[in-house]
Amino acid sequence: MKIAQVAPLYESVPPRLYGGTERIISFLADGLVEAGHDVTLFASGDSTTRAALAATRDCALRLDPNPPTSAIAAHLAQLHEVRRRASEFDVIHFHLSHFLHFPFFEDIAWKTVTTPHGRLDYRDLAGAYGLWPRFPMISISNNQRLPLAGANWLATIHHGLPARPHSQPQWNGEGGYLAFLGRVSRDKRPDRAIEIALRSGYRLRIAAKIGDDDQHYFRETVEPLVDGTNVEFIGEIGEAEKDEFLGKATALLFPIDWPEPFGLAVIEAMSVGTPVVAWNCGATGEIVDDETGAVVDTIEAAVVAVHRVARLDRARIRAVFERRFGAERMVGQYADAYARLLAMHGA
Amino acid sequence: MKIAQVAPLYESVPPRLYGGTERIISFLADGLVEAGHDVTLFASGDSTTRAALAATRDCALRLDPNPPTSAIAAHLAQLHEVRRRASEFDVIHFHLSHFLHFPFFEDIAWKTVTTPHGRLDYRDLAGAYGLWPRFPMISISNNQRLPLAGANWLATIHHGLPARPHSQPQWNGEGGYLAFLGRVSRDKRPDRAIEIALRSGYRLRIAAKIGDDDQHYFRETVEPLVDGTNVEFIGEIGEAEKDEFLGKATALLFPIDWPEPFGLAVIEAMSVGTPVVAWNCGATGEIVDDETGAVVDTIEAAVVAVHRVARLDRARIRAVFERRFGAERMVGQYADAYARLLAMHGA
């Protein structure tokens, strides 16, 4: 198949730093090439891919050394180019959350598919979708669909990650701590993680980025609870360190307080055999089960769960990860969805 | 003429709080109705206008009581509706800065006109415009055009304000202070204003909003210099208080450090007879002259200028304002531009 992948321009593909969407697009584009498809990736010029790179902008917006930038104008120019070349592709796959591409492609919506990577409960999204109701959509969890339940959903395809080359089975939770990974923000509830750790008698290690918007929250709410012994803050860590940080943890705490449409950190933990104690919020209930962790609603339940999941079979968690959340499975499901899309239109 | 005005949805028209773009659109829409045109205003549903209001969203994005919102989706829905009704209008006037409307109207660009209200030196804007090069544009200053010099510019039309009903000629600068008005942000350089005031022997009164993004800057740079006597911070003020605040000031300081495409505060000061000492940056050189103030490049020149402009004839400044920066003049220029646009296409 001739497939166009259209990535947002905020980060390169894969992202140099934080950026789940662009990591997933990278695995998908490379995986489709691996599977023999002819893939063109529309992304910023500092991307690295096995697909043919079509760049309408030299570098990603967030790391542009020459601000100010216009995200809208940058994406309009990108979509103009995708449209100009549209006839070259059998399928055009958009990874934009806010439907900016709809007006460009309304007459060929049937050969496009859109994966929104963000939450869909923004006011305005359902109304806008209703004006372009034929666009085929793929959700990253069933939960993500709820605010847009009536859309033209083609499939739910959970994210996938490649097998972890750096992962060491012998890590096996040997650090004896609980892990918190990601961003320190009100929505991610590091304060809950701290309370769960203190009440369950485990140390907590927090490996997280503090964004500009979150400085105030960190200072007021989290920092006073960091004592360096029971609660340790180690800052942002890179991909390579992440596997060890997770692999040596007894469990990952994911006590979020927002409708997370997927939660990549959860499957990152599973990929190195580490169980997850997640709050029942957004998509966590679709991803975590009793074999791989626990989904809880209260601090008390989380404390009980920590002690239970500490005894789970970590090899089994890795096996579940490989079956349910591997990159190849994701790539195969997307290829099937593209084929179904074309079959529906006799292409 | 049948005219559509398309306002951004961030603030209502006029804005409840801060928002220069929406104030200008309000004066323009009402003024065109006054002049006998048939005007439809596409804006948020909490707008108040003499035109026919066409609202695709109940309230403005920034004050929406039910976040999160999607600005892109909200504007896509608005533009979809403008497009659906396009044949009803002779001219469609967009007040959007980032060209989101271009893909919707490319086949009828000739009967649209776009006033970008923001700076145009964003990377991405020139490239995007180049893909839709026929869209007729109106700049709010000649300086604003520079980063997009090759665009299809129809006219420069400076902003205009209605005569000031609350203005009292006897205010006459009687407060004996210098004024700083607007937002406390790094770009607006309140620190420069403080230095100019201290070195010229005048008190400075700062009437300004502190946005979320500017809290840190205010704490670090401005607050330590506020002593309540020589430098006073009085917070954000409303429209009614503004005239008195400006009218009693010896001069307005406008020592900006960014390519301001117009600078509404400058003509607000002039409207009540108060001279302006402005930094030579962006459009200030087109707006302020020796009769109405001074345009300077250094603190030293600003100090000299403060003493000179304090002796200017304030009645004359008001007269210049009425001739050059009144709302009727602005409305008339826009109506002329629309007529020229239609004449070019034999409409």
Side-chain angles (χ1 to χ4, degrees):
Chain A
M1 250 181 294
K2 289 186 174 162
I3 304 164
Q5 296 289 335
V6 184
L9 299 169
Y10 296 107
E11 305 283 354
S12 60
V13 175
R16 215 164 306 170
L17 303 171
Y18 199 80
T21 302
E22 290 81 1
R23 282 176 67 206
I24 293 299
I25 296 168
S26 171
F27 301 141
L28 177 58
D30 288 356
L32 289 166
V33 171
E34 179 77 26
H37 297 288
D38 179 350
V39 183
T40 300
L41 173 65
F42 291 85
S44 65
D46 49 356
S47 297
T48 310
T49 179
R50 297 182 59 190
L53 180 62
T56 49
R57 192 177 205 288
D58 56 353
C59 67
L61 287 161
R62 284 215 186 107
L63 298 174
D64 193 312
N66 298 304
T69 59
S70 167
I72 288 178
H75 286 98
L76 290 176
Q78 179 192 42
L79 293 170
H80 189 280
E81 179 64 5
V82 178
R83 177 70 227 205
R84 192 184 67 78
R85 295 183 54 185
S87 64
E88 298 175 29
F89 309 111
D90 299 316
V91 176
I92 306 173
H93 186 173
F94 295 97
H95 297 268
L96 308 177
S97 286
H98 291 209
F99 310 156
L100 191 61
H101 53 298
F102 284 5
F104 287 83
F105 295 89
E106 52 191 3
D107 59 326
I108 53 170
W110 62 272
K111 74 175 213 178
T112 74
V113 62
T114 298
T115 299
H117 286 250
R119 63 198 281 183
L120 295 177
D121 63 335
Y122 290 83
R123 279 197 68 187
D124 308 297
L125 282 183
Y129 185 85
L131 298 169
W132 287 276
R134 287 171 311 159
F135 275 83
M137 307 281 288
I138 290 180
S139 46
I140 61 175
S141 65
N142 294 323
N143 182 274
Q144 184 197 30
R145 291 185 183 191
L146 296 180
L148 221 62
N152 181 13
W153 293 109
L154 210 60
T156 286
I157 301 181
H158 286 143
H159 287 338
L161 299 174
R164 313 299 278 181
H166 305 297
S167 173
Q168 310 282 335
Q170 74 273 20
W171 284 334
N172 216 21
E174 69 186 30
Y177 57 85
L178 301 176
F180 180 95
L181 178 69
R183 270 191 308 118
V184 169
S185 74
R186 200 174 295 279
D187 288 348
K188 305 265 187 182
R189 296 298 300 263
D191 59 317
R192 269 187 190 156
I194 291 170
E195 194 178 348
I196 296 165
L198 293 176
R199 290 174 58 175
S200 62
Y202 275 93
R203 280 192 303 136
L204 179 71
R205 301 187 76 205
I206 302 174
K209 167 186 173 145
I210 309 173
D212 289 343
D213 293 349
D214 301 320
Q215 296 283 353
H216 181 75
Y217 171 73
F218 178 73
R219 296 253 164 74
E220 296 288 308
T221 308
V222 180
E223 205 171 40
L225 303 172
V226 172
D227 62 7
T229 312
N230 292 312
V231 181
E232 190 185 354
F233 181 76
I234 62 175
E236 191 171 4
I237 60 175
E239 283 301 302
E241 301 153 285
K242 219 189 259 182
D243 285 351
E244 184 171 351
F245 173 73
L246 290 169
K248 290 186 172 173
T250 301
L252 173 73
L253 299 183
F254 199 70
I256 54 166
D257 204 0
W258 72 290
E260 166 72 77
F262 187 79
L264 265 186
V266 171
I267 65 170
E268 282 172 333
M270 290 166 59
S271 75
V272 296
T274 299
V276 180
V277 175
W279 222 259
N280 184 15
C281 205
T284 59
E286 290 172 52
I287 301 170
V288 180
D289 60 16
D290 287 349
E291 270 189 324
T292 54
V295 176
V296 298
D297 277 312
T298 63
I299 299 282
E300 291 67 30
V303 171
V304 171
V306 163
H307 292 291
R308 181 180 68 75
V309 306
R311 298 188 302 269
L312 285 175
D313 178 352
R314 295 172 79 103
R316 197 178 173 91
I317 295 174
R318 291 164 71 112
V320 171
F321 163 79
E322 274 158 37
R323 190 180 76 241
R324 293 186 55 203
F325 299 110
E328 272 182 58
R329 184 267 323 154
M330 172 179 76
V331 171
Q333 285 188 288
Y334 272 112
D336 288 350
Y338 304 153
R340 279 210 322 280
L341 189 70
L342 298 187
M344 277 190 266
H345 291 84
Chain B
M1 249 181 295
K2 288 185 175 164
I3 303 164
Q5 296 289 334
V6 184
L9 299 169
Y10 297 106
E11 304 283 353
S12 61
V13 176
R16 213 165 305 170
L17 304 171
Y18 200 81
T21 301
E22 290 82 1
R23 282 177 67 208
I24 294 299
I25 297 168
S26 172
F27 301 142
L28 176 58
D30 287 357
L32 289 166
V33 171
E34 179 76 25
H37 296 289
D38 180 349
V39 183
T40 300
L41 173 64
F42 291 84
S44 66
D46 48 355
S47 297
T48 310
T49 180
R50 297 184 58 191
L53 179 62
T56 49
R57 190 177 206 288
D58 56 352
C59 68
L61 287 161
R62 284 216 186 106
L63 298 175
D64 193 313
N66 297 306
T69 60
S70 167
I72 289 179
H75 287 98
L76 290 177
Q78 180 192 41
L79 293 170
H80 189 280
E81 178 65 5
V82 178
R83 177 70 227 205
R84 191 183 68 79
R85 295 183 53 184
S87 64
E88 299 174 30
F89 308 111
D90 300 315
V91 176
I92 306 173
H93 187 172
F94 295 98
H95 297 268
L96 309 177
S97 286
H98 291 209
F99 310 157
L100 191 61
H101 53 300
F102 284 5
F104 287 84
F105 295 90
E106 52 190 4
D107 60 325
I108 53 169
W110 62 271
K111 74 174 210 178
T112 75
V113 62
T114 299
T115 298
H117 285 250
R119 62 198 284 183
L120 295 178
D121 63 334
Y122 290 84
R123 280 197 69 188
D124 308 297
L125 282 184
Y129 185 85
L131 299 169
W132 288 275
R134 288 171 311 159
F135 275 83
M137 306 282 287
I138 290 179
S139 47
I140 61 174
S141 65
N142 294 323
N143 182 274
Q144 185 197 30
R145 291 185 184 189
L146 297 179
L148 221 61
N152 181 14
W153 293 109
L154 210 60
T156 285
I157 302 181
H158 286 143
H159 286 338
L161 299 174
R164 313 300 276 183
H166 305 298
S167 171
Q168 309 282 336
Q170 73 272 20
W171 283 335
N172 216 21
E174 70 186 31
Y177 57 85
L178 301 177
F180 180 94
L181 178 68
R183 270 191 309 117
V184 169
S185 75
R186 201 175 294 279
D187 288 347
K188 305 264 188 184
R189 295 301 298 264
D191 58 318
R192 270 187 190 156
I194 292 170
E195 194 178 348
I196 295 165
L198 294 176
R199 289 173 59 172
S200 62
Y202 275 93
R203 280 191 302 136
L204 179 71
R205 301 187 77 206
I206 302 174
K209 167 187 172 143
I210 309 173
D212 290 343
D213 293 349
D214 301 321
Q215 296 282 354
H216 182 75
Y217 172 73
F218 178 73
R219 296 252 164 75
E220 295 287 308
T221 308
V222 179
E223 204 171 41
L225 303 171
V226 172
D227 63 8
T229 313
N230 291 311
V231 180
E232 191 186 354
F233 181 76
I234 62 175
E236 190 171 5
I237 59 176
E239 283 300 302
E241 301 153 284
K242 220 189 258 182
D243 285 352
E244 183 170 352
F245 174 73
L246 290 169
K248 288 186 172 173
T250 300
L252 173 72
L253 299 184
F254 199 71
I256 54 165
D257 205 2
W258 71 290
E260 165 72 77
F262 188 79
L264 265 188
V266 171
I267 65 170
E268 282 173 332
M270 291 166 59
S271 76
V272 296
T274 299
V276 179
V277 175
W279 222 257
N280 185 16
C281 205
T284 59
E286 290 172 53
I287 301 169
V288 179
D289 60 16
D290 288 350
E291 271 189 324
T292 53
V295 176
V296 299
D297 277 312
T298 64
I299 299 282
E300 291 69 30
V303 172
V304 172
V306 163
H307 292 291
R308 182 180 69 74
V309 307
R311 297 189 302 269
L312 285 175
D313 178 351
R314 296 171 78 102
R316 197 176 174 92
I317 295 173
R318 293 164 70 112
V320 170
F321 164 78
E322 275 159 36
R323 191 180 76 241
R324 294 186 55 204
F325 299 110
E328 274 182 56
R329 184 268 322 155
M330 173 179 77
V331 171
Q333 285 187 288
Y334 272 113
D336 289 350
Y338 304 153
R340 280 210 322 279
L341 189 69
L342 298 187
M344 278 190 264
H345 291 85

